Amino acid sequence: MGKFYVTTPIFYVNDKPHIGHAYTVIAADILARWHRLAGDEVFFLTGTDEHGEKVEKAAADAGKTPKAFTDEVVDKFKTAWKALNISYDKFVRTTDEDHINRIKNFVSKLTDNGDIYKGEYEGWYCVPDETFLTETELVDGKCRVCGREVKKVKEENYFFRLSKYQDALLKLYSDNPGFLSPKYRADEIINIVKGGLRDLSISRATVKWGIPFPGDPQQTIYVWLDALPNYITALGWPEAASFNTFWPADVHIMGKEIFRFHTIYWPAFLLSAGLKPPNKVFAHGWFTVNGQKMSKSLHNVVDPLSLVNKYGADPVRFALIREMEFGRDGDFSEEFLVEKLNGELSADLGNLLSRTLAIAEKFSGEIKGEPEPGGLVDIKEISSHIDKLEIHEALEKIWRYVRSINKYVNDKKPWSVKGPELGNILYNVLESIRISAILLSPFIPETCEKIFGQLGVEAGGLKDAVFKEFKGKVTRGPNLFVKVQ
Ligand code: ME8
């Protein structure tokens, strides 16, 4: 038992959440829930990144003030996360008074440590990515990350001495091999840092929607320096007890396009402030929808809320995690979701419960017996996948277990057996279902609540995921899932 601090990126509120944002938040939720099951003290943070040019522009396009606009969009994020049963402990907004004050404090700290100076910035800026780019970083004159138009910027800015942290960063990576995760993403970062770092512009003279720069209110703090420290401001850095309990973060989770910000800028800022870097930064891949990149112009942006309204939260959570290896790119389609809903969820899990309970309800003998070794599940192996952030693999192993319970039922044919022999089979199946529901509860929490309810047992933690005496009182309820065409 220990502590576990997991974060998602804080999302830009230029638009409502889409399925990509939901993917990251669901993955983090699974980790948070798993660690709670294991008895760890967990802090799960998510939130919104509300300042900067991109959001300022979106508000202006909508004819609203940035504050009114962001309040509306934030509501949409919260509604979507609630519908998806996201169990965050805190939702941080960069427009929170508390965050603003702590950011000013953080920037003053970097200044006191001699890492900030004023200079002239001349170069390119990508508004959608809120990124400064040099001439050599452009591809065909466009942003090398998102491929969109960039604009020329020439202004007086404050700079952070990022160049000073080259060696410290390289040492951080080599001393902590798990810091850059997954491993296959490490080389790119190491090469960027080895190639030499330029000092980073950390203020904007022309952007009004932001936190005033301490000591120079004509400038606003660059949105990434406002955003990255959310991971400590939300804990109440520097004075709050939760900061001492939870920092350093166990893992920051995000999509691959912002890995650089989290593995170069963020630890450099922390080192400058005299704080520990996070233990791990993990970037997952990107998914396309029906093979295409999601974009407004293609009208293929998937709204997680409408999927939940149509299919329920658990099929959405399940399909997203089942669809792609956590870390790699993948593709999402509604057809895949329906296939998982009808196949694995409804046929493997839903039918297993309903056919078992139908027999158990009619059985008047004692439900007891000996655990049959074939039905045992390797919880250590599953936990180790979770520890390595192979959540898709953990789910695969749990699903193999669910299938093995079905196979046991098919082999033992409880419908043709009576008396103590049936009592033993039911014991084995009901306990296996109970154990699998504990293991599945981080992935499909609502469904597992229903399973515990129909079994008439307490939910329990990971330590309860072992064969015990069956103490439930079964009552068959509605099917867990309704198949769709
Ligand atoms: O970058 N596939 O916010 P953002 C998978 N505010 N994940 C996706 C995705 C896709 N197609 N599209 C988006 C920002 N994501 C900054 C972060 S953190 C201090 C500041 C997910 O709204 C993925 O997690 O652009 C990605 O990193 C994130 O949304 C980007 O969210």
Side-chain angles (χ1 to χ4, degrees):
M1 259 166 278
K3 68 91 185 171
F4 184 70
Y5 179 27
V6 59
T7 70
T8 71
I10 48 172
F11 303 108
Y12 290 128
V13 287
N14 55 306
D15 208 347
K16 65 182 185 184
H18 61 59
I19 198 83
H21 305 122
Y23 179 68
T24 315
V25 172
I26 291 167
D29 187 55
I30 290 166
L31 294 172
R33 286 176 181 270
W34 185 275
H35 281 268
R36 288 191 201 109
L37 271 190
D40 290 339
E41 197 183 346
V42 170
F43 198 90
F44 168 19
L45 178 70
T46 190
T48 41
D49 190 356
E50 304 184 23
H51 292 127
E53 195 168 349
K54 173 175 172 137
V55 173
E56 189 174 55
K57 188 174 175 304
D61 290 349
K64 299 196 171 132
T65 64
K67 177 68 184 140
F69 180 76
T70 52
D71 282 351
E72 270 172 33
V73 182
V74 168
D75 271 350
K76 291 182 184 158
F77 272 86
K78 288 188 174 170
T79 305
W81 298 166
K82 186 158 189 255
L84 280 163
N85 282 311
I86 304 301
S87 65
Y88 57 79
D89 294 293
K90 181 163 176 156
F91 189 103
V92 65
R93 297 183 57 175
T94 55
T95 50
D96 289 340
E97 192 66 31
D98 186 72
H99 173 81
I100 293 172
N101 290 331
R102 292 178 195 280
I103 286 295
K104 287 182 183 161
N105 187 3
F106 189 76
V107 173
S108 302
K109 193 117 201 154
L110 308 192
T111 308
D112 293 348
N113 292 346
D115 282 341
I116 290 180
Y117 64 92
K118 206 167 187 179
E120 164 105 335
Y121 178 78
E122 189 174 359
W124 300 92
Y125 196 78
C126 170
V127 178
D129 287 342
E130 298 280 11
T131 309
F132 294 98
L133 298 158
T134 59
E135 195 74 44
T136 56
E137 286 173 319
L138 304 181
V139 176
D140 297 332
K142 303 217 167 114
C143 171
R144 63 148 183 210
V145 181
C146 69
R148 283 175 281 199
E149 296 290 335
V150 289
K151 62 182 216 181
K152 186 107 199 171
V153 174
K154 185 177 176 179
E155 51 184 50
E156 265 257 281
N157 281 171
Y158 288 93
F159 284 82
F160 171 72
R161 291 189 201 282
L162 184 63
S163 55
K164 182 175 144 185
Y165 290 93
Q166 180 180 18
D167 291 343
L169 287 171
L170 291 172
K171 182 165 164 30
L172 168 70
Y173 307 150
S174 64
D175 290 353
N176 305 278
F179 178 81
L180 299 169
S181 282
K183 265 200 179 67
Y184 51 82
R185 297 203 188 280
D187 283 350
E188 188 188 345
I189 300 300
I190 295 170
N191 289 335
I192 293 175
V193 177
K194 275 193 181 151
L197 296 170
R198 269 172 298 108
D199 288 351
L200 176 70
S201 167
I202 50 153
S203 72
R204 297 296 308 277
T206 48
V207 178
K208 291 295 153 235
W209 179 237
I211 303 179
F213 205 87
D216 190 349
Q218 294 308 314
Q219 300 255 344
T220 51
I221 296 173
Y222 171 45
V223 66
W224 276 98
L225 176 55
D226 168 347
L228 287 163
N230 88 86
Y231 304 128
I232 61 170
T233 64
L235 293 178
W237 170 83
E239 80 288 357
S242 21
F243 177 71
N244 286 322
T245 309
F246 291 107
W247 193 257
D250 292 83
V251 59
H252 293 314
I253 297 196
M254 69 211 57
K256 62 184 181 181
E257 82 292 353
I258 56 174
F259 193 50
R260 274 185 315 136
F261 295 89
H262 284 80
T263 53
I264 302 175
Y265 299 172
W266 179 224
F269 293 157
L270 284 164
L271 290 171
S272 170
L275 297 169
K276 284 188 193 148
N279 292 339
K280 188 186 282 300
V281 180
F282 183 95
H284 63 67
W286 270 51
F287 57 81
T288 47
V289 171
N290 295 310
Q292 283 184 306
K293 196 175 169 186
M294 263 188 292
S295 92
K296 270 192 177 171
S297 51
L298 291 173
H299 302 291
N300 67 346
V301 179
V302 181
D303 174 7
L305 196 56
S306 64
L307 281 183
V308 172
N309 291 338
K310 200 162 163 192
Y311 302 107
D314 285 348
V316 177
R317 292 172 64 107
F318 186 81
L320 280 174
I321 298 304
R322 211 79 176 104
E323 177 94 53
M324 60 197 237
E325 180 184 324
F326 194 49
R328 303 278 183 191
D329 291 342
D331 185 63
F332 178 79
S333 66
E334 205 164 323
E335 288 73 37
F336 180 84
L337 191 159
V338 169
E339 187 190 311
K340 293 288 135 182
L341 171 56
N342 289 346
E344 297 184 334
L345 291 175
S346 183
D348 292 352
L349 185 63
N351 283 354
L352 171 66
L353 182 74
S354 63
R355 64 181 178 153
T356 308
L357 293 193
I359 301 170
E361 269 189 339
K362 284 193 221 124
F363 181 65
S364 56
E366 258 191 293
I367 297 182
K368 69 168 197 184
E370 286 303 317
E372 314 220 329
L376 298 182
V377 60
D378 190 345
I379 292 178
K380 272 213 183 100
E381 185 189 25
I382 295 168
S383 289
S384 130
H385 285 307
I386 295 278
D387 289 343
K388 288 186 268 175
L389 302 183
E390 295 162 351
I391 46 184
H392 59 285
E393 202 51 51
L395 182 54
E396 168 63 22
K397 295 284 155 62
I398 301 169
W399 215 259
R400 281 189 204 167
Y401 181 51
V402 171
R403 289 203 188 107
S404 78
I405 310 170
N406 273 307
K407 181 172 185 303
Y408 178 86
V409 173
N410 294 342
D411 291 348
K412 297 283 174 175
K413 302 185 174 43
W415 50 87
S416 62
V417 179
K418 287 193 177 68
E421 194 184 342
L422 178 55
N424 180 54
I425 298 170
L426 285 173
Y427 166 74
N428 271 280
V429 180
L430 291 171
E431 274 296 276
S432 306
I433 294 175
R434 184 184 65 77
I435 291 168
S436 57
I438 294 177
L439 302 176
L440 282 171
S441 63
F443 298 85
I444 46 173
E446 206 177 314
T447 302
C448 295
E449 281 302 313
K450 291 182 193 160
I451 298 177
F452 296 130
Q454 295 194 27
L455 292 178
V457 297
E458 297 285 324
L462 262 196
K463 63 174 188 341
D464 302 302
V466 288
F467 275 85
K468 298 183 179 183
E469 200 181 314
F470 182 75
K471 290 208 184 107
K473 191 171 178 333
V474 304
T475 18
R476 194 173 164 202
N479 285 343
L480 294 177
F481 300 96
V482 181
K483 281 193 185 182
V484 287
Q485 291 314 313

